[in-house]
Amino acid sequence: FLTPSASDVHQISGEERKTSSSQCFENPPNLSSTCGAGRVEELAGLKTYVTGPSDSKRAVLLIADVFGYEAPKLRKLADKVASAGFLVVVPDFLYGDPFPMDFSNPNFDREAWMKIHSMDKGCEDAKPVISALKSKGVSAIGAAGFCWGGKVLVKLAGTEDIQAAVILHPGPMTEDEIEAVKIPTAILGAEIDHSSPPEELKKFGEIMSAKTEFESYVKIFPSVSHGWSVRYDDDNEFAVKSAEEAQEDTLNWFLKHVK
Ligand SMILES: *[C@@H]1O[C@H](CO)[C@@H](O)[C@H](O)[C@H]1NC(C)=O
């Protein structure tokens, strides 16, 4: 899977695009259960990384990619959003079973994994998390979803359970899902992305901007690949800058729409 050429070409238009392209599994993070400035607590029955002021009325839910909630760069972003005053939660929607780093292992059954950890299930699991935040006194919630989590989030953006969404390099979304969006939504995509190619995201942007009830935009980041916002190479200055820009855009959307 880590050699892009053959498998990617197969997956761009193939059946597997419905789940995820191989780009979703590139540059896996080295997971750490203790990274970040926050703490792990239980929230709505899920182990959750929690960071930021626990009495904040404004919360941000981060929905991880297939590598889950112990990814150091995702937690670092959570801490960054938290330092702007948000209570940030990153639930373990994968139940301690993230996509393996060494998925070339022939014993790993990717299709079975995708079935167990379906994005529909992720969406169902997010709802009690949102209710739990509200019962703690939170009055406004923003959510950001990455890859797998982006696809989970587009479904939530079709409800009024949350106030704003940032969908980053999502798994393949449908026009129906975009048509259903009801809340301020930003979609950040990569120029090189087989799950959500720029042309498709631009079309989604047009569908959303035809609706005047809420603000929306689509931004394509040049010269970066799917996953760049949280799976960048620290030694690549351009990659780090692009990730930081995507993260700033995410925070700014929450500052504007989660009040
Ligand atoms: C994970 O750790 C290995 C070995 O230390 C290192 O080579 C690799 O760059 C690390 N990956 C990330 C994403 O930090």
Side-chain angles (χ1 to χ4, degrees):
F1 294 108
L2 290 172
T3 46
S5 50
S7 60
D8 276 6
V9 169
H10 158 66
Q11 285 168 19
I12 292 170
S13 56
E15 181 68 13
E16 283 179 279
R17 196 171 162 256
K18 286 190 194 133
T19 51
S20 297
S21 90
S22 66
Q23 283 185 311
C24 299
F25 316 119
E26 286 170 0
N27 310 320
N30 293 319
L31 301 181
S32 157
S33 60
T34 55
C35 62
R39 59 222 173 258
V40 172
E41 291 176 4
E42 193 154 305
L43 187 65
L46 296 174
K47 282 175 84 178
T48 301
Y49 178 74
V50 179
T51 180
S54 52
D55 60 348
S56 181
K57 299 276 176 249
R58 301 173 304 148
V60 165
L61 164 66
L62 299 185
I63 310 176
D65 60 22
V66 293
F67 298 107
Y69 85 130
E70 292 182 339
K73 284 171 175 153
L74 182 64
R75 288 194 177 183
K76 196 169 156 200
L77 171 59
D79 292 339
K80 200 193 270 188
V81 173
S83 56
F86 294 97
L87 169 63
V88 183
V89 298
V90 194
D92 179 17
F93 290 119
L94 303 176
Y95 296 87
D97 180 35
F99 204 83
M101 269 184 76
D102 177 24
F103 50 86
S104 54
N105 181 338
N107 295 324
F108 176 63
D109 183 343
R110 178 170 128 176
E111 290 310 309
W113 188 94
M114 292 302 300
K115 223 168 241 153
I116 295 167
H117 302 293
S118 75
M119 302 174 206
D120 286 331
K121 171 91 166 67
C123 185
E124 284 318 302
D125 286 345
K127 289 176 182 171
V129 168
I130 291 165
S131 304
L133 287 171
K134 288 180 179 166
S135 71
K136 279 179 190 285
V138 166
S139 54
I141 301 173
F146 306 81
C147 183
W148 184 94
K151 173 82 176 170
V152 169
L153 179 53
V154 73
K155 296 175 196 292
L156 291 177
T159 72
E160 283 168 312
D161 295 345
I162 56 173
Q163 280 61 55
V166 182
I167 296 173
L168 299 101
H169 40 80
M173 305 187 292
T174 66
E175 237 172 82
D176 286 346
E177 285 169 332
I178 296 294
E179 284 285 359
V181 168
K182 287 192 179 67
I183 56 167
T185 296
I187 300 178
L188 310 184
E191 184 182 354
I192 309 152
D193 194 325
H194 304 150
S195 290
S196 285
E199 314 76 62
E200 187 173 272
L201 293 184
K202 283 179 195 158
K203 194 167 81 190
F204 291 162
E206 284 164 22
I207 294 173
M208 289 195 299
S209 58
K211 307 199 178 180
T212 49
E213 314 86 80
F214 60 86
E215 216 184 312
S216 64
Y217 74 89
V218 168
K219 176 172 167 181
I220 305 299
F221 285 67
S223 310
V224 291
S225 303
H226 180 87
W228 92 97
S229 75
V230 284
R231 297 208 306 271
Y232 50 90
D233 173 2
D234 287 311
D235 298 328
N236 179 333
E237 198 183 329
F238 180 81
V240 172
K241 273 218 161 69
S242 289
E244 281 173 351
E245 186 178 327
Q247 297 187 357
E248 282 302 309
D249 290 344
T250 301
L251 177 58
N252 287 337
W253 197 247
F254 295 144
L255 289 171
K256 185 166 186 189
H257 293 289
V258 181
K259 300 197 187 242

